[in-house]
Amino acid sequence: KGRLTIAGCGLHPGHMTLETQSLIQTAESVLLVAPNPLSIQHIRQLNPHTEHLGRFYNMGYSRPEIYRQMALYIIDLVHQGKSVCVIFYGHPGVFVSSTRMASRVLAGQGYPVAMLPGISADACLYADLGLDPADTGCQSYESTRFLLTRRDVDTSAALILWQLGLTGEHSMDKFEPGKQGLEALCKLLQMDYPSDHQVCLYEAPTLPGFEPRKDWIALTDLAKADVNTITTLYVPACREPTFAEERLGWLGLTETDIS
Ligand code: SAM
């Protein structure tokens, strides 16, 4: 009888989909990770059997251990035969490891597992910055991963860096950037982009009706930027893409045929 459904509640109560709302109302047990009190209150009103998993953040665990403990807790409730609904802020499958861990284990054991999407931070970013990823294409990375692994950065496409506020925090037990994280990221980006390239520190509102943070700064100022746990970095493309002539040739085309 146990089953798991994972859903996203968006970044504020106005983002809740009707599908997720009805799931919450009918679930036997609702587990919740939402950073804003209004979403917590809203979900508790929809279903009084709601438990906020925020407590796992205050138990002295490292970040990977917090996510592992959450996953184990979810798995245990499903094993007890409960129909469990887990609600994460934003989209529940975007930069959320505990849900993935729990669904992998439970699906492997034959339990029904499903995920409903939610409005994620990048969905809000596209809306608030007036962007369409179709224009230039878009690269999306976790900031510390981007910093510490070799990448061919495509400067003709946009770049989104998540968890900017944890850049270089390799100990995995703090919720702030590592000591030289932003400086190192700034140095790395300046190997591909001009120092005066304008980049945006973006924060979607977590309450309906509020304005987003859209601080455009010169790339060189990123090292000293004021960031927090919800800041996402947007780096626009700094050049036009070049056509691959041989591939135009494959289709019998030239550059002038492409608008
Ligand atoms: N599941 C979430 C989603 O779908 O947006 C993402 C969770 S991830 C663990 C946390 C990161 O998401 C933050 O470090 C930040 O990059 C981004 N984020 C979360 N809330 C945000 C907000 N209000 N505005 C901008 N970015 C946000």
Side-chain angles (χ1 to χ4, degrees), residues 45-159:
Q45 274 164 3
L46 292 174
N47 189 325
H49 305 290
T50 294
E51 186 183 351
H52 189 239
L53 297 185
R55 62 190 159 81
F56 283 97
Y57 288 93
N58 305 321
M59 293 168 104
Y61 295 137
S62 65
R63 280 187 279 128
E65 189 57 19
I66 294 171
Y67 308 139
R68 206 179 72 88
Q69 290 295 332
M70 278 186 187
L72 292 176
Y73 188 70
I74 296 167
I75 292 166
D76 187 47
L77 282 183
V78 175
H79 282 173
Q80 287 174 30
K82 292 210 167 116
S83 157
V84 177
C85 156
V86 181
I87 305 292
F88 259 80
Y89 73 96
H91 185 302
V94 173
F95 291 83
V96 185
S97 56
S98 52
T99 52
R100 207 168 302 281
M101 224 181 282
S103 33
R104 202 172 38 235
V105 171
L106 290 167
Q109 295 169 342
Y111 289 94
V113 174
M115 182 180 280
L116 308 182
I119 296 182
S120 55
D122 58 344
C124 297
L125 182 147
Y126 294 137
D128 286 329
L129 299 187
L131 305 169
D132 184 338
D135 287 344
T136 60
C138 186
Q139 307 155 95
S140 181
Y141 295 103
E142 198 279 330
S143 183
T144 303
R145 278 287 178 114
F146 176 81
L147 173 63
L148 300 179
T149 55
R150 291 194 196 285
R151 307 278 171 185
D152 290 325
V153 182
D154 178 0
T155 55
S156 71
L159 171 67

Side-chain angles (χ1 to χ4, degrees), residues 11 89-92 94-96 119-122 161-164 202-206 229-232:
L11 298 182
Y89 73 96
H91 185 302
V94 173
F95 291 83
V96 185
I119 296 182
S120 55
D122 58 344
L161 293 181
W162 298 71
Q163 303 205 141
L164 185 70
Y202 173 73
E203 289 170 18
T206 54
T229 48
I230 64 164
T231 316
T232 297

